[in-house]
Amino acid sequence: MTFTEVQNFIKAGHFFLVPDDILDYDLSPTAFMVFFYLCHCSDGYGTSFPSRETIGKKCGDVSVVTVDKAIKELVEWGLLEKHHRFNDEHMQTSNTYIVADLKKRKKAFMDIKEEIQKGNFS
């Protein structure tokens, strides 16, 4: 494939980018899938707002409860921000999700992982 063909392939939306640093985290399989899906949905700033039902369907037809657990896991790791959205009638709609910039988080994570391996945290 030529460089131009690769560029056209990218522009056509045949794939999405996922930071490879995500593999450094000890996530559940569902959290990985949810993270990947949110990367797929996100704009240039890492922001997306699919419904939890849609996330569940796109991540192996898992329940909303399972999606909520995966999102909670990602938020706890600092890999995702979750913000509530409201319509004009002040009714909650889908959440806004912002995927973290993993390059900024990697050093802090590796430091904590090293301390855990040394037995400094239980």
Side-chain angles (χ1 to χ4, degrees):
M1 196 177 256
T2 68
F3 181 73
T4 303
E5 289 171 329
V6 170
Q7 283 182 316
N8 290 337
F9 191 75
I10 293 169
K11 288 178 186 175
H14 294 292
F15 72 94
F16 60 95
L17 299 175
V18 175
D20 62 353
D21 294 351
I22 192 68
L23 300 175
D24 293 333
Y25 292 83
D26 187 24
L27 297 174
S28 68
T30 305
F32 274 113
M33 287 298 300
V34 168
F35 185 83
F36 295 160
Y37 182 68
L38 293 174
C39 286
H40 166 73
C41 295
S42 67
D43 61 15
Y45 302 102
T47 304
S48 63
F49 41 89
S51 71
R52 295 175 307 153
E53 292 82 5
T54 298
I55 295 169
K57 286 179 184 171
K58 296 292 186 175
C59 293
D61 206 22
V62 298
S63 71
V64 170
V65 171
T66 301
V67 169
D68 288 343
K69 287 179 186 176
I71 289 170
K72 181 179 180 192
E73 183 178 348
L74 293 166
V75 169
E76 286 174 353
W77 275 103
L79 299 171
L80 187 69
E81 290 180 31
K82 174 182 139 183
H83 303 278
H84 300 293
R85 291 189 326 141
F86 298 90
N87 63 19
D88 292 337
E89 290 80 37
H90 305 287
M91 302 292 293
Q92 187 172 353
T93 63
S94 62
N95 295 315
T96 298
Y97 302 102
I98 304 171
V99 175
D101 182 350
L102 297 187
K103 297 227 182 280
K104 291 179 182 177
R105 298 198 41 78
K106 186 170 188 173
K107 182 176 180 342
F109 170 75
M110 295 308 283
D111 291 344
I112 291 169
K113 185 176 179 180
E114 184 178 321
E115 291 298 317
I116 291 170
Q117 289 172 342
K118 289 179 184 176
N120 294 337
F121 295 106
S122 55

